[in-house]
Amino acid sequence: MSEKYRGLRGVDITTGSHIFNPEQSFHLAHELKRAGHDVQIEAYPTLDRRVIRHIRTLGNKLGIGLPIPPGVTEEDVRRWQDKYPNAKVNRIHLPFSYNDRELWWLVVDPKTEPKARIHHLAWIFFIGAAQNLKGVWLAQKLADQNVGLTMHTNVVEGFAKTGTLEDIKKTVPFILAENGMPYRSPVLKNVNAISDPRTIAQQIITKYELTGMLLGIDHLTAQGAQIKNILSDKIVVDVVHAIHLANPAHGAIGPDDESYKHVLKKIAQTEFKTPVRAALDHAPLNIPFQEEIMQVGRTIDWIMETQK
């Protein structure tokens, strides 16, 4: 009989909370570790395109802090880890779109809301498409740290269709498929295979022999999904390796978040096949750094207290 692991075994952070200054995520992880929290990092491989770098540099010279993220490379990660030795990376989250066609489709699709259209346009320049392989190469170069990959299912499908997925699987220790928001993808036509955890477990993870699932509870709550039902589905639960936590608008959750208490309680009651860690995948908090350390620390304490 295989061992069961009830509830969460830890809470991590993503560089999404410091997308315009990813070094700050390493500093935060370092400080949280010093405070006794077992925190790791899921990093987004933002690009440092030459034109963007020049615009950012010009803005700095003019005293204007432009909201333009720097790139995240192996050299950056190792430099930040030298500076903040408690900061450990466990996953690289690949871009949300597989190729440039899919990137632009999210912008021009008439069903895309105007606000989302602007968001997707920014990501074209800031993170690009997964097919650029920057995120894959970053994980491979950090092999000494056992760094794996998170992929949305349309990205998995894109790599599978070109035969690249099998090559990637041989070079990273694990690949987790994440459920996202439903949309019409030119790469993966089945919308349920993009957003529905059960379909993803059966048609993506099993089909392509992936390590497991990163369950995006943030995306599910945004769709009004019943988390209790999803975490009662053995087909889903048996493949979950990690969980993303944020409110439906990708804001931070915290001890005063009544809407999340029932979610955490259900997670605490769930028996997984592997030790499952959550990751706080929220947008930048835009508060002083010392205050952020205390706020995130309190949130982690609160989450782990609910798991007892």
Side-chain angles (χ1 to χ4, degrees):
M1 183 176 178
S2 60
E3 186 176 359
K4 297 290 186 179
Y5 301 86
R6 188 185 296 272
L8 297 172
R9 298 307 170 103
V11 180
D12 300 326
I13 62 174
T14 76
T15 57
S17 62
H18 300 100
I19 199 70
F20 302 113
N21 183 13
E23 180 181 349
Q24 198 84 316
S25 289
F26 285 75
H27 191 180
L28 178 61
H30 175 81
E31 295 299 334
L32 290 170
K33 184 81 171 181
R34 288 180 60 193
H37 300 290
D38 179 23
V39 174
Q40 300 175 27
I41 299 169
E42 181 176 18
Y44 288 89
T46 46
L47 302 174
D48 197 10
R49 300 179 191 272
R50 182 177 299 177
V51 63
I52 294 177
R53 184 166 64 250
H54 289 331
I55 293 172
R56 186 174 60 247
T57 300
L58 179 60
N60 291 338
K61 288 181 178 179
L62 296 175
I64 304 171
L66 298 175
I68 299 175
V72 175
T73 66
E74 179 201 4
E75 291 74 19
D76 293 321
V77 170
R78 295 195 186 278
R79 185 177 73 255
W80 297 334
Q81 289 179 323
D82 285 342
K83 192 172 181 180
Y84 309 113
N86 290 326
K88 182 185 183 302
V89 178
N90 61 5
R91 292 188 302 274
I92 303 300
H93 191 304
L94 295 193
F96 311 107
S97 298
Y98 170 65
N99 55 23
D100 289 340
R101 179 191 174 201
E102 188 174 35
L103 260 179
W104 283 104
W105 171 251
L106 288 166
V107 175
V108 303
D109 184 356
K111 292 190 175 182
T112 301
E113 296 181 1
K115 186 176 180 180
R117 203 183 303 276
I118 295 172
H119 175 82
H120 293 311
L121 188 61
W123 279 111
I124 288 177
F125 297 101
F126 294 163
I127 199 168
Q131 196 178 36
N132 65 27
L133 294 177
K134 299 289 187 181
V136 174
W137 293 338
L138 179 56
Q140 291 170 346
K141 290 175 180 177
L142 297 173
D144 59 306
Q145 300 184 40
N146 202 44
V147 175
L149 294 171
T150 301
M151 299 186 191
H152 281 268
T153 53
N154 53 303
V155 173
V156 173
E157 185 72 11
F159 282 132
K161 285 180 177 178
T162 59
T164 311
L165 182 62
E166 290 303 312
D167 293 333
I168 295 174
K169 285 166 60 178
K170 295 173 184 176
T171 62
V172 294
F174 62 88
I175 296 176
L176 303 183
E178 181 183 2
N179 57 292
M181 296 297 292
Y183 76 99
R184 297 185 303 156
S185 166
V187 177
L188 181 56
K189 302 294 185 181
N190 184 350
V191 175
N192 284 337
I194 290 175
S195 60
D196 176 56
R198 173 178 263 252
T199 305
I200 291 168
Q202 295 175 315
Q203 298 185 18
I204 301 294
I205 294 172
T206 299
K207 178 180 179 181
Y208 296 123
E209 299 181 323
L210 302 181
T211 310
M213 179 185 297
L214 189 155
L215 186 64
I217 286 183
D218 47 352
H219 299 140
L220 293 169
T221 55
Q223 298 169 60
Q226 293 296 314
I227 306 302
K228 181 178 179 180
N229 295 340
I230 291 169
L231 288 174
S232 297
D233 187 342
K234 190 174 186 300
I235 290 176
V236 174
V237 169
D238 282 354
V239 297
V240 172
H241 282 236
I243 294 175
H244 270 179
L245 298 176
N247 70 30
H250 267 276
I253 63 171
D256 297 327
D257 196 334
E258 293 292 333
S259 65
Y260 242 87
K261 288 183 178 178
H262 73 282
V263 172
L264 294 171
K265 182 178 179 180
K266 179 57 182 175
I267 293 174
Q269 298 168 345
T270 303
E271 290 188 339
F272 301 100
K273 278 192 168 183
T274 188
V276 172
R277 299 178 65 87
L280 303 176
D281 192 32
H282 54 77
L285 294 176
N286 298 318
I287 59 177
F289 185 61
Q290 291 301 320
E291 185 178 333
E292 181 177 10
I293 295 172
M294 291 187 289
Q295 179 172 320
V296 175
R298 284 195 299 266
T299 297
I300 293 173
D301 287 338
W302 166 65
I303 291 172
M304 295 311 297
E305 184 65 27
T306 68
Q307 302 303 294
K308 295 179 179 178

